Amino acid sequence: MCNIVRKKQGVSNMLPKSDDRPNVLEHVSENVRRLRRAAGLSQEALASAAGVSRRMLVGIEGGDVNVSLATLDRIAAALGVFFPDLVQRPDRPDRSRINAVAWVGQKPGSRATLLASATARHEVELWSWSLEPGEAHVAEPDAQGWQEMVYVIEGILSVRRGDLENQIPAGDFLVFASDQPYTYANQTDSLVRFIRNVLT
């Protein structure tokens, strides 16, 4: 299960080319072809299992067609993998930083970016946080297997885990295992606002 919720209404095309982001369609092409071969499936067999035409699948593997997110979901399910496995860079298997544009609209600025993915065993909590200057939240370790995803909306968030400290500016994010003591802190003179997902 992909832990980023994607509403399919109005979401139609992948972004075929971008100068400042990974070429997602190129990654999809390589990933689908590699995973299909690893599964020992022909193009016809995969197309049938995913409910798409063989022509569509040939185009996807050739990197010369756009494809809907719903179609990619079906292909991922037929391959027995997850949606992020199809869109992330093949040489970067770490799902904690995918950062790939998966959809663009007709107007500039309309886009959907898959930032990261992590496996959840039971549920996902969605939190909205704000920290005033000098404020900190010290958290005890969670159970093994728990993870946190944070996306900073405003300011610079400090995340401390033992001797490791990350400074996350607005527009950036961090995914980490929370089965260790950790602290969210605002070490600046301005308000910090961030979105926090807790995956249990």
Side-chain angles (χ1 to χ4, degrees):
M1 173 182 177
C2 176
N3 296 309
I4 293 184
V5 177
R6 300 187 309 285
K7 295 294 184 184
K8 300 302 192 304
Q9 293 87 346
V11 178
S12 56
N13 295 325
M14 297 291 296
L15 176 67
K17 179 66 177 176
S18 174
D19 294 330
D20 61 346
R21 296 286 189 176
N23 186 331
V24 176
L25 192 55
E26 178 181 335
H27 302 330
V28 168
S29 170
E30 181 176 345
N31 288 330
V32 170
R33 185 169 54 251
R34 172 178 52 83
L35 291 167
R36 176 181 60 78
R37 290 173 177 169
L41 296 173
S42 66
Q43 288 180 329
E44 185 174 354
L46 177 57
S48 177
V52 301
S53 69
R54 183 178 180 277
R55 181 178 179 180
M56 168 67 78
L57 186 62
V58 170
I60 292 171
E61 291 194 0
D64 58 1
V65 297
N66 289 344
V67 56
S68 70
L69 299 182
T71 297
L72 286 184
D73 277 332
R74 293 198 300 271
I75 292 173
L79 287 168
V81 299
F82 299 99
F83 176 84
D85 293 320
L86 300 186
V87 301
Q88 68 189 67
R89 288 181 53 168
D91 59 341
R92 294 184 183 176
D94 181 9
R95 291 185 186 168
S96 67
R97 184 162 287 268
I98 298 173
N99 204 25
V101 175
W103 173 84
V104 289
Q106 296 181 359
K107 297 182 179 180
S110 296
R111 62 179 54 205
T113 303
L114 177 60
L115 300 177
S117 179
T119 302
R121 295 174 298 176
H122 297 104
E123 65 178 341
V124 180
E125 298 172 358
L126 177 63
W127 295 75
S128 174
W129 278 70
S130 60
L131 293 175
E132 292 284 357
E135 191 76 75
H137 168 71
V138 181
E140 296 182 0
D142 293 320
Q144 186 174 7
W146 286 36
Q147 299 188 72
E148 302 246 338
M149 292 175 152
V150 294
Y151 181 86
V152 179
I153 300 172
E154 179 182 348
I156 301 175
L157 175 67
S158 298
V159 181
R160 294 193 294 267
R161 293 164 289 155
D163 296 330
L164 180 63
E165 181 168 338
N166 296 95
Q167 302 290 329
I168 312 170
D172 203 357
F173 61 95
L174 179 68
V175 179
F176 64 94
S178 58
D179 55 354
Q180 57 185 310
Y182 60 97
T183 300
Y184 290 128
N186 181 356
Q187 300 175 347
T188 72
D189 296 328
S190 303
L191 180 71
V192 171
R193 295 191 302 121
F194 61 99
I195 298 298
R196 175 189 180 211
N197 279 344
V198 180
L199 293 78
T200 66

